[in-house]
Amino acid sequence: DIQMTQSPPSLSASLGDKVTITCQASQNINKYIAWYQQKPGKAPRLLIRYTSTLESGTPSRFSGSGSGRDYSFSISNVESEDIASYYCLQYDNLPYTFGAGTKLELK
Amino acid sequence: EVQLVESGGGLVKPGSSLKLSCVASGFTFSSYGMHWIRQAPKKGLEWIALIYYDSSNKYYADSVKGRFTISRDNSKNTLYLEMNSLRSEDTAMYYCAKTSTRVPLYWGQGVMVTVSS
Protein backbone atom coordinates (compact mmCIF):
# COMPACT_ATOMS: atom_id res chain seq x y z
CA ASP A 1 0.00 0.00 0.00
CA ILE A 2 1.12 3.57 -0.69
CA GLN A 3 1.80 5.63 2.44
CA MET A 4 1.06 9.35 2.37
CA THR A 5 3.13 11.45 4.78
CA GLN A 6 1.36 14.78 5.29
CA SER A 7 2.87 17.72 7.12
CA PRO A 8 2.53 19.70 9.21
CA PRO A 9 -0.14 18.16 11.46
CA SER A 10 -1.26 21.64 12.42
CA LEU A 11 -0.72 25.13 11.16
CA SER A 12 -1.41 28.52 12.69
CA ALA A 13 -1.95 31.43 10.32
CA SER A 14 -3.12 35.02 10.32
CA LEU A 15 -5.74 36.28 7.91
CA GLY A 16 -4.04 37.13 4.62
CA ASP A 17 -1.14 34.71 5.12
CA LYS A 18 -0.01 32.12 2.63
CA VAL A 19 0.16 28.58 3.98
CA THR A 20 1.50 25.40 2.42
CA ILE A 21 0.84 21.76 3.23
CA THR A 22 2.91 18.94 1.81
CA CYS A 23 2.28 15.28 1.12
CA GLN A 24 4.96 12.80 0.26
CA ALA A 25 3.99 9.44 -1.18
CA SER A 26 5.97 6.27 -0.53
CA GLN A 27 6.21 5.81 -4.30
CA ASN A 28 5.50 7.72 -7.51
CA ILE A 29 1.75 8.44 -7.70
CA ASN A 30 1.80 10.00 -11.19
CA LYS A 31 0.07 13.21 -10.04
CA TYR A 32 -3.01 11.32 -8.87
CA ILE A 33 -3.43 13.32 -5.69
CA ALA A 34 -6.50 15.15 -4.49
CA TRP A 35 -6.96 17.63 -1.67
CA TYR A 36 -10.00 17.84 0.61
CA GLN A 37 -11.21 20.41 3.09
CA GLN A 38 -13.21 19.30 6.12
CA LYS A 39 -14.97 21.56 8.59
CA PRO A 40 -16.13 20.27 11.99
CA GLY A 41 -19.21 18.08 11.78
CA LYS A 42 -19.24 18.12 7.99
CA ALA A 43 -18.28 15.74 5.23
CA PRO A 44 -15.06 16.48 3.36
CA ARG A 45 -15.23 18.67 0.28
CA LEU A 46 -13.03 18.01 -2.75
CA LEU A 47 -11.01 21.11 -3.63
CA ILE A 48 -8.35 19.91 -6.06
CA ARG A 49 -7.84 16.78 -8.14
CA TYR A 50 -4.95 15.51 -10.29
CA THR A 51 -2.42 17.65 -8.39
CA SER A 52 -3.60 21.06 -9.56
CA THR A 53 -7.06 20.95 -11.15
CA LEU A 54 -9.46 23.09 -9.14
CA GLU A 55 -12.96 21.77 -8.68
CA SER A 56 -15.87 23.95 -9.67
CA GLY A 57 -16.45 26.44 -6.89
CA THR A 58 -12.95 26.20 -5.42
CA PRO A 59 -11.60 29.74 -4.94
CA SER A 60 -8.48 30.61 -6.92
CA ARG A 61 -6.52 31.27 -3.71
CA PHE A 62 -6.22 27.48 -3.43
CA SER A 63 -3.55 25.79 -5.52
CA GLY A 64 -1.67 22.53 -5.82
CA SER A 65 1.55 21.39 -7.40
CA GLY A 66 4.02 18.55 -7.47
CA SER A 67 5.07 15.41 -9.25
CA GLY A 68 6.51 12.00 -8.58
CA ARG A 69 6.38 11.48 -4.84
CA ASP A 70 6.23 15.08 -3.62
CA TYR A 71 3.15 17.33 -3.65
CA SER A 72 2.06 20.57 -2.07
CA PHE A 73 -1.17 22.44 -1.44
CA SER A 74 -1.28 26.17 -0.76
CA ILE A 75 -3.76 28.76 0.32
CA SER A 76 -2.78 32.33 -0.48
CA ASN A 77 -4.48 35.12 1.46
CA VAL A 78 -6.03 32.88 4.11
CA GLU A 79 -9.62 33.84 4.90
CA SER A 80 -11.62 32.98 8.01
CA GLU A 81 -13.74 30.51 6.04
CA ASP A 82 -10.57 28.50 5.29
CA ILE A 83 -10.20 27.43 8.92
CA ALA A 84 -10.63 23.68 8.63
CA SER A 85 -8.71 20.43 8.34
CA TYR A 86 -7.13 19.47 5.04
CA TYR A 87 -6.35 15.99 3.73
CA CYS A 88 -4.46 14.67 0.74
CA LEU A 89 -5.59 11.50 -1.01
CA GLN A 90 -3.60 9.38 -3.44
CA TYR A 91 -5.79 7.64 -6.00
CA ASP A 92 -3.11 6.26 -8.26
CA ASN A 93 -3.22 2.80 -6.72
CA LEU A 94 -5.78 0.82 -4.78
CA PRO A 95 -6.19 0.85 -1.89
CA TYR A 96 -6.53 4.61 -1.92
CA THR A 97 -4.78 6.25 1.03
CA PHE A 98 -5.22 9.55 2.80
CA GLY A 99 -2.64 11.68 4.53
CA ALA A 100 -3.09 12.12 8.28
CA GLY A 101 -4.48 15.62 7.88
CA THR A 102 -3.51 19.19 8.68
CA LYS A 103 -5.55 21.36 11.02
CA LEU A 104 -5.44 25.03 10.04
CA GLU A 105 -6.09 27.44 12.87
CA LEU A 106 -6.13 31.22 13.20
CA LYS A 107 -3.19 32.79 14.98
CA GLU B 1 -28.55 17.86 -7.28
CA VAL B 2 -26.55 14.87 -6.13
CA GLN B 3 -27.72 13.49 -2.79
CA LEU B 4 -26.31 10.59 -0.82
CA VAL B 5 -28.07 9.57 2.37
CA GLU B 6 -26.52 6.95 4.64
CA SER B 7 -28.42 4.96 7.24
CA GLY B 8 -28.17 1.84 9.36
CA GLY B 9 -25.61 2.92 11.93
CA GLY B 10 -25.88 2.50 15.66
CA LEU B 11 -24.37 1.02 18.79
CA VAL B 12 -23.38 -2.64 18.53
CA LYS B 13 -21.30 -5.06 20.58
CA PRO B 14 -17.90 -6.37 19.48
CA GLY B 15 -18.21 -9.39 17.22
CA SER B 16 -21.62 -8.41 15.91
CA SER B 17 -22.76 -7.39 12.42
CA LEU B 18 -24.32 -4.33 10.86
CA LYS B 19 -25.39 -3.34 7.36
CA LEU B 20 -25.16 0.25 6.19
CA SER B 21 -27.14 1.67 3.29
CA CYS B 22 -26.57 4.71 1.10
CA VAL B 23 -29.46 5.89 -1.06
CA ALA B 24 -28.42 7.97 -4.04
CA SER B 25 -30.38 10.51 -6.07
CA GLY B 26 -29.73 13.29 -8.55
CA PHE B 27 -27.54 11.25 -10.90
CA THR B 28 -27.53 7.99 -12.85
CA PHE B 29 -26.42 5.74 -10.00
CA SER B 30 -25.80 2.72 -12.24
CA SER B 31 -23.11 4.62 -14.17
CA TYR B 32 -20.74 5.43 -11.31
CA GLY B 33 -18.37 3.69 -8.97
CA MET B 34 -19.03 4.23 -5.29
CA HIS B 35 -16.79 4.35 -2.24
CA TRP B 36 -17.10 3.87 1.50
CA ILE B 37 -14.78 6.02 3.60
CA ARG B 38 -14.70 6.24 7.38
CA GLN B 39 -13.43 8.56 10.08
CA ALA B 40 -12.85 7.49 13.67
CA PRO B 41 -13.73 10.12 16.30
CA LYS B 42 -11.24 12.99 16.17
CA LYS B 43 -9.10 11.05 13.70
CA GLY B 44 -8.32 11.24 10.00
CA LEU B 45 -10.03 9.79 6.96
CA GLU B 46 -9.65 6.14 5.98
CA TRP B 47 -10.71 4.82 2.58
CA ILE B 48 -12.22 1.37 3.02
CA ALA B 49 -13.96 0.14 -0.12
CA LEU B 50 -14.80 0.74 -3.78
CA ILE B 51 -17.33 -0.94 -6.05
CA TYR B 52 -17.49 -0.46 -9.80
CA TYR B 53 -20.67 0.81 -11.45
CA ASP B 54 -21.67 -2.71 -12.49
CA SER B 55 -20.36 -4.53 -9.40
CA SER B 56 -17.74 -6.21 -11.59
CA ASN B 57 -14.91 -5.22 -9.29
CA LYS B 58 -14.68 -4.58 -5.57
CA TYR B 59 -11.67 -3.40 -3.61
CA TYR B 60 -11.04 -3.16 0.12
CA ALA B 61 -8.58 -1.73 2.60
CA ASP B 62 -6.59 -4.39 4.42
CA SER B 63 -8.16 -3.29 7.70
CA VAL B 64 -11.61 -4.52 6.60
CA LYS B 65 -10.83 -7.19 4.00
CA GLY B 66 -12.60 -10.43 4.80
CA ARG B 67 -14.95 -8.77 7.31
CA PHE B 68 -16.73 -6.09 5.26
CA THR B 69 -18.57 -6.51 1.95
CA ILE B 70 -19.50 -3.69 -0.39
CA SER B 71 -22.45 -4.22 -2.70
CA ARG B 72 -25.03 -2.26 -4.64
CA ASP B 73 -28.51 -2.58 -6.05
CA ASN B 74 -28.74 -0.38 -9.11
CA SER B 75 -32.49 -0.93 -9.35
CA LYS B 76 -32.86 0.69 -5.94
CA ASN B 77 -30.10 3.33 -6.34
CA THR B 78 -28.60 1.96 -3.15
CA LEU B 79 -25.09 1.16 -1.99
CA TYR B 80 -24.47 -1.18 0.93
CA LEU B 81 -21.71 -2.01 3.37
CA GLU B 82 -22.14 -5.25 5.27
CA MET B 83 -19.89 -5.29 8.32
CA ASN B 84 -19.17 -8.50 10.22
CA SER B 85 -16.97 -9.34 13.21
CA LEU B 86 -17.03 -5.72 14.28
CA ARG B 87 -14.25 -4.46 16.52
CA SER B 88 -13.91 -1.40 18.71
CA GLU B 89 -11.52 0.06 16.13
CA ASP B 90 -14.36 0.05 13.57
CA THR B 91 -16.06 2.80 15.57
CA ALA B 92 -16.31 5.68 13.12
CA MET B 93 -18.46 7.91 10.98
CA TYR B 94 -19.03 6.07 7.71
CA TYR B 95 -19.42 8.06 4.52
CA CYS B 96 -20.48 6.89 1.09
CA ALA B 97 -19.11 8.85 -1.86
CA LYS B 98 -19.71 9.01 -5.60
CA THR B 99 -16.72 8.66 -7.89
CA SER B 100 -15.83 11.25 -10.50
CA THR B 101 -12.95 10.06 -12.67
CA ARG B 102 -11.66 7.89 -9.82
CA VAL B 103 -11.87 10.58 -7.16
CA PRO B 104 -14.52 10.55 -4.40
CA LEU B 105 -16.37 13.73 -5.28
CA TYR B 106 -19.80 13.87 -3.68
CA TRP B 107 -20.08 12.61 -0.11
CA GLY B 108 -23.06 11.81 2.07
CA GLN B 109 -23.49 13.33 5.50
CA GLY B 110 -22.25 10.14 7.16
CA VAL B 111 -23.64 7.59 9.58
CA MET B 112 -22.14 6.77 12.97
CA VAL B 113 -21.19 3.26 13.96
CA THR B 114 -20.15 2.62 17.56
CA VAL B 115 -18.75 -0.75 18.58
CA SER B 116 -18.69 -1.12 22.34
CA SER B 117 -19.62 -3.62 24.99
Side-chain angles (χ1 to χ4, degrees), chain A residues 36 38 43 49 91-92 95-96, chain B residues 35 39 47 100 102-104 108:
Chain A
Y36 291 85
Q38 186 180 32
R49 71 168 74 204
Y91 60 103
D92 184 46
Y96 290 179
Chain B
H35 302 264
Q39 186 170 34
W47 177 90
S100 168
R102 296 164 61 174
V103 178

Side-chain angles (χ1 to χ4, degrees), chain B residues 81-101:
Chain B
L81 185 69
E82 187 157 11
M83 304 184 293
N84 297 318
S85 304
L86 282 162
R87 307 166 180 166
S88 58
E89 54 264 38
D90 296 318
T91 293
M93 184 73 77
Y94 285 74
Y95 296 99
C96 63
K98 169 187 174 287
T99 286
S100 168
T101 319

Side-chain angles (χ1 to χ4, degrees), chain B residues 49-90:
Chain B
L50 164 68
I51 185 168
Y52 278 17
Y53 71 100
D54 59 355
S55 302
S56 59
N57 287 286
K58 304 175 184 181
Y59 300 92
Y60 299 92
D62 288 345
S63 59
V64 306
K65 200 176 295 183
R67 299 187 301 122
F68 290 12
T69 301
I70 189 171
S71 62
R72 65 192 296 159
D73 185 338
N74 286 343
S75 70
K76 295 182 178 179
N77 287 352
T78 303
L79 175 73
Y80 302 101
L81 185 69
E82 187 157 11
M83 304 184 293
N84 297 318
S85 304
L86 282 162
R87 307 166 180 166
S88 58
E89 54 264 38
D90 296 318

